[in-house]
Amino acid sequence: MIIAVDGPAASGKGTIARALAAHYGLPHLDTGLLYRAVGVSVARAGGNPDDPDDALAACDFPDELLADPELRSEEAGPLASRASRHPGVRAALLERQRAFAAQPGGAVLDGRDIGTVIAPDADAKLFVTASVAVRARRRHAELAAESLESVAAEIAARDKRDMERADAPLKQAEDADLLDTSDLSIGAAVQRAIALVEARLQDRA
Ligand code: CDP
């Protein structure tokens, strides 16, 4: 069984994807980490993530980089978003994600284009979202350093860049279920996600 979980920054998609993976005993891939690795590699090499050649050169990063805590920093999100606009970068990371999805027994993947591009035939697709205000409050609680206003502005700018890019933009797949977590606790959001996946599995049976 393949479960695709997409959505914008701080929507809860990562937490929901991890919980679904644990619930169904499936391996999980946070595909955002791959793009974060590219963004951080470009920056460390002194390159520019807006430059397609610099970004492409950073795609053969070593696997150990995926465990580097710097990838989870707030600076890495916009770097990833800028590097991920280039079709060459998306193509370079495609096979790795498809292979993960195709492993025997299935997998849970979360990102921006899992239901639309990476695994269009997924058994269940969730599009997890929440209002910008709620997402900014969540991110702000994780990072004491920045003001709530600047976190909200960064989230809005990243949403816009991710939704407006030409290649694999952030959008809800036609056959994805929408899960708005604005007014849900983590536990309630996870319960709802499991219920939506179960309904899709019933439909397929
Ligand atoms: O955790 P958060 O939602 O803030 O970010 P992330 O999922 O780690 O993704 C970081 C950036 O990588 C996003 O803003 C996207 O630009 C890009 N990304 C993408 O283009 N496609 C994916 N499947 C996953 C991430």
Side-chain angles (χ1 to χ4, degrees), residues 41-76:
S41 293
V42 181
R44 284 184 184 167
N48 176 1
D50 299 317
D51 180 276
D53 295 328
D54 282 4
L56 192 57
C59 287
D60 60 355
F61 58 80
D63 270 1
E64 305 83 78
L65 180 59
L66 294 172
D68 191 322
E70 198 182 321
L71 297 194
R72 314 251 177 208
S73 71
E74 200 50 16
E75 296 76 50

Side-chain angles (χ1 to χ4, degrees), residues 36 39-40 43 70-82 143 145-146 154:
R36 285 170 179 262
V40 166
E70 198 182 321
L71 297 194
R72 314 251 177 208
S73 71
E74 200 50 16
E75 296 76 50
L79 287 171
S81 175
R82 287 160 64 191
L143 332 142
E146 280 184 79
E154 276 168 25

Side-chain angles (χ1 to χ4, degrees), residues 79-93:
L79 287 171
S81 175
R82 287 160 64 191
S84 73
R85 268 192 311 144
H86 307 299
V89 168
R90 306 202 71 82
L93 300 181

Side-chain angles (χ1 to χ4, degrees), residues 3 14-15 27 35 75 87-88 90 112 123 129 154 160 169 181 201:
I3 304 178
T15 303
Y35 292 94
E75 296 76 50
R90 306 202 71 82
R112 299 289 187 290
D123 301 277
T129 190
E154 276 168 25
K160 183 170 158 55
T181 66
L201 296 182

